[in-house]
Amino acid sequence: EYEPPVGLNPFERVCWWLTGIVGPIADQYEVPQDLEGAIMLQESGGQPWVQSPMNYSGGIPIGRAQGLMQVMPWHFGVSLLPSGELSEADRAYCQYPPRNLAKSAEILHRNYLFFGTWEMAVSAYFGFGVDATGASTSQYLASGMALRKLFQGG
């Protein structure tokens, strides 16, 4: 039900999601669909069951971002194991596409209300600083805004 067809490239996978469940969720949270598409493309390439490298704070594991929109586990209210990993059940819970998309849209909407622009909302979604892969907020934002144009039809 929530698995794109085999053989699609990342852009095609994201388009598959955009023509399916993304629209109603984005509309519910008043998040532009092209923005959801851009974030999904850079976060997961439209693959629903992916997780990021382990994130650390002060040398302590704080979990892996989950699913299509790479949402951190604490946003779902689940607990990590001492290793920083999730149980299989909690990982499946966080990665479930409708839930993952809704949580990301909720976060983006809340960020937009707080900061007042989609650029700042996206920056806060990423987190200010550098992530587990070495990408910075400014790199993430520039990439996201460029990718957004792919989903605007121009």
Side-chain angles (χ1 to χ4, degrees):
E1 175 177 41
Y2 295 116
E3 194 68 48
V6 175
L8 299 180
N9 66 42
F11 179 76
E12 292 168 334
R13 277 194 304 269
V14 171
C15 289
W16 183 86
W17 289 105
L18 288 174
T19 60
I21 65 172
V22 171
I25 293 170
D27 291 347
Q28 176 185 351
Y29 289 95
E30 301 175 329
V31 174
Q33 290 183 40
D34 59 317
L35 188 62
E36 286 277 333
I39 291 172
M40 185 189 301
L41 185 57
Q42 66 183 359
E43 290 287 1
S44 71
Q47 299 177 80
W49 315 115
V50 298
Q51 56 183 356
S52 74
M54 182 61 70
N55 289 272
Y56 294 88
S57 179
I60 304 208
I62 58 170
R64 299 173 188 271
Q66 300 292 320
L68 286 168
M69 302 300 286
Q70 292 293 278
V71 180
M72 290 300 289
W74 60 76
H75 291 291
F76 297 98
V78 298
S79 297
L80 299 173
L81 300 171
S83 64
E85 301 291 353
L86 291 169
S87 69
E88 288 292 323
D90 284 342
R91 185 168 58 235
Y93 179 86
C94 294
Q95 291 178 347
Y96 181 64
R99 184 176 299 111
N100 193 272
L101 287 162
K103 185 56 72 176
S104 73
E106 175 190 326
I107 294 165
L108 285 163
H109 178 76
R110 187 175 57 239
N111 290 350
Y112 179 77
L113 293 177
F114 185 82
F115 292 107
T117 69
W118 287 115
E119 289 80 5
M120 287 300 296
V122 170
S123 294
Y125 183 86
F126 175 81
F128 298 103
V130 177
D131 73 0
T133 67
S136 71
T137 304
S138 60
Q139 291 168 324
Y140 183 85
L141 178 62
S143 174
M145 292 301 111
L147 290 173
R148 189 175 181 188
K149 292 177 183 171
L150 293 174
F151 301 101
Q152 293 173 335

